[in-house]
C-alpha cells in the first residue's frame, strides 16, 4: 500500500462520501480499520460485500490533497493510485490513474 500526502493541516474524507440527505439510507458500517501512521493522522476504514465489492473511507489531515495507492508489492511504481482534494473555492476533485 502506498500513501502520499501533503503537509498536515485540514481534514479530507476521500473515497467514501456519505449522504446526509433526508430519506437516504445510512452508509454501511465498515468493519475493518487501521491508522496508517504512528501519529494517528491517516485513518483507513474498509469492508467488502458478498460479491467482494470493496468500499473504502480514508480520513487524512491534509492541506487540501491526498493520494492513495494500491500495489501487490507495496511500492509506488506500477501501483493503482487515487488522487483527490479540495480546491480553495471548496469544490472537490477526484482522479484515478
Amino acid at each position: 500500500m502506498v500513501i502520499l500526502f501533503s503537509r498536515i493541516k485540514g481534514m479530507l474524507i476521500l473515497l467514501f462520501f456519505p449522504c446526509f440527505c433526508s430519506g437516504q439510507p445510512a452508509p454501511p458500517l465498515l468493519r475493518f480499520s487501521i491508522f496508517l501512521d504512528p501519529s494517528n493522522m491517516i485513518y483507513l476504514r474498509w469492508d467488502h460485500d458478498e460479491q467482494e465489492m470493496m468500499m473504502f473511507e480514508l480520513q487524512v489531515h491534509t492541506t487540501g490533497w491526498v493520494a492513495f495507492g494500491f500495489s501487490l508489492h507495496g511500492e509506488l511504481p506500477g501501483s493503482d493510485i487515487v488522487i483527490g482534494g479540495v480546491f480553495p473555492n471548496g469544490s472537490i476533485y477526484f482522479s484515478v490513474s
Side-chain angles (χ1 to χ4, degrees):
M1 190 173 325
V2 177
I3 298 178
L4 306 171
F5 56 95
S6 63
R7 293 183 317 234
I8 298 178
K9 187 177 178 184
M11 175 70 85
L12 172 68
I13 298 175
L14 181 66
L15 301 179
F16 176 71
F17 295 100
C19 180
F20 297 105
C21 308
S22 63
Q24 294 293 324
L29 296 176
L30 302 177
R31 296 177 290 170
F32 310 103
S33 65
I34 189 170
F35 282 99
L36 299 176
D37 67 316
S39 58
N40 294 342
M41 299 184 99
I42 305 170
Y43 185 60
L44 176 65
R45 294 177 12 147
W46 72 96
D47 205 344
H48 60 88
D49 62 16
E50 296 80 27
Q51 293 81 31
E52 301 207 10
M53 175 69 80
M54 298 293 296
M55 184 177 307
F56 295 91
E57 176 183 297
L58 181 63
Q59 297 177 13
V60 180
H61 292 272
T62 180
T63 58
W65 69 272
V66 64
F68 186 76
F70 297 91
S71 75
L72 296 176
H73 44 78
E75 298 192 12
L76 185 58
S79 64
D80 296 319
I81 299 174
V82 176
I83 300 170
V86 180
F87 288 114
N89 67 3
S91 62
I92 297 171
Y93 64 91
F94 185 78
S95 175
V96 178
S97 62

